[in-house]
Amino acid sequence: MQGRIAVRPYRGAVMGQIIIKRGDITKEDVDAIVNAANTGLKGGGGVDGAIHRSAGPSVMEECRGIGGCETGEAVITTAGNLLARNIIHTPGPVWYGGHSGESGLLRNCYINSFKCAIENGSRTIAFTAISTGIYGFPVEEATRIALEEGIKHRGDFDRIVYVCFSARDLDVYQKIYEELTK
Ligand code: AR6
């Protein structure tokens, strides 16, 4: 498939696959998709808006019940009309120039999303590029964090999918993955 690489299976053919592809995360058939949310869990634009539109109102209702989520933390809901079983909502940091702990907070998004997925029995998980849209986090630095944590956690999953929305993001993910695994 165009723009898709399935890279180096880890510990056998099934476990620990990292897949980098271009696409729309709302279409992913995985146990959990990870939403780039806001701390109010109120929905919004970007991928958050797309996920809520496709999932339907039950997910927003669950989010309302949860009430909110701190930056870098993660909460889980069901996934309404989506193919995925669950949605993990994690608010990424807003980029203020890099001296406000943004990198550590973004890393926490990935660590806590993986933790939440493991606790809920997910074997397959898909991520979008958290914080790199409306929140302005530089794509290269964000990608390095996303992939470093994916590589650390690959043994806990059958499949970790990074869904890139643009061709440019796909190039960056592929380049940085090569760098990190060469
Ligand atoms: N599938 C995959 N990726 C997507 C999709 C999609 N359907 N749509 C957008 N992206 P953003 P943030 C990519 O702005 O920067 C919302 O209003 C997009 O190209 O969605 O964390 C929330 O409510 C980019 O690569 O999230 C928050 O208020 C990535 O998703 C705020 O935006 C993240 O971009 C969060 O901003």
Side-chain angles (χ1 to χ4, degrees):
M1 191 190 295
Q2 194 216 357
R4 177 186 173 120
I5 55 169
V7 274
R8 279 187 227 145
Y10 173 80
R11 284 196 221 148
V14 179
M15 267 181 77
Q17 243 191 353
I18 291 181
I19 294 174
I20 296 168
K21 64 189 277 196
R22 190 167 174 204
D24 174 353
I25 199 168
T26 64
K27 307 278 194 309
E28 282 299 308
D29 186 2
V30 286
D31 292 331
I33 62 167
V34 180
N35 179 22
N38 54 57
T39 54
L41 302 178
K42 290 183 189 309
V47 72
D48 196 6
I51 287 173
H52 278 288
R53 270 195 304 281
S54 304
S58 66
V59 176
M60 186 51 77
E61 220 158 276
E62 271 186 76
C63 285
R64 243 179 255 125
I66 295 167
C69 180
E70 296 292 312
T71 301
E73 300 293 317
V75 296
I76 193 164
T77 63
T78 56
N81 301 325
L82 298 182
L83 279 175
R85 194 156 55 86
N86 289 109
I87 303 170
I88 293 170
H89 306 261
T90 183
V94 177
W95 180 258
Y96 289 116
H99 301 291
S100 306
E102 293 95 330
S103 294
L105 288 167
L106 184 62
R107 193 174 294 280
N108 287 346
C109 288
Y110 286 94
I111 291 171
N112 288 318
S113 295
F114 280 126
K115 185 163 171 264
C116 183
I118 292 165
E119 284 168 0
N120 286 278
S122 305
R123 298 295 311 164
T124 54
I125 184 167
F127 286 92
T128 183
I130 302 161
S131 279
T132 64
I134 293 163
Y135 283 178
F137 203 115
V139 173
E140 298 229 350
E141 192 176 337
T143 303
R144 191 170 297 280
I145 291 167
L147 292 176
E148 280 172 357
E149 290 308 319
I151 289 164
K152 279 186 209 156
H153 287 87
R154 67 194 311 181
D156 297 321
F157 294 87
D158 295 334
R159 190 156 36 104
I160 299 172
V161 187
Y162 292 95
V163 184
C164 301
F165 205 50
S166 69
R168 184 182 163 260
D169 285 359
L170 179 70
D171 283 349
V172 172
Y173 268 77
Q174 288 177 334
K175 188 188 86 190
I176 292 181
Y177 184 85
E178 292 300 325
E179 260 175 54
L180 291 175
T181 55
K182 74 176 172 223

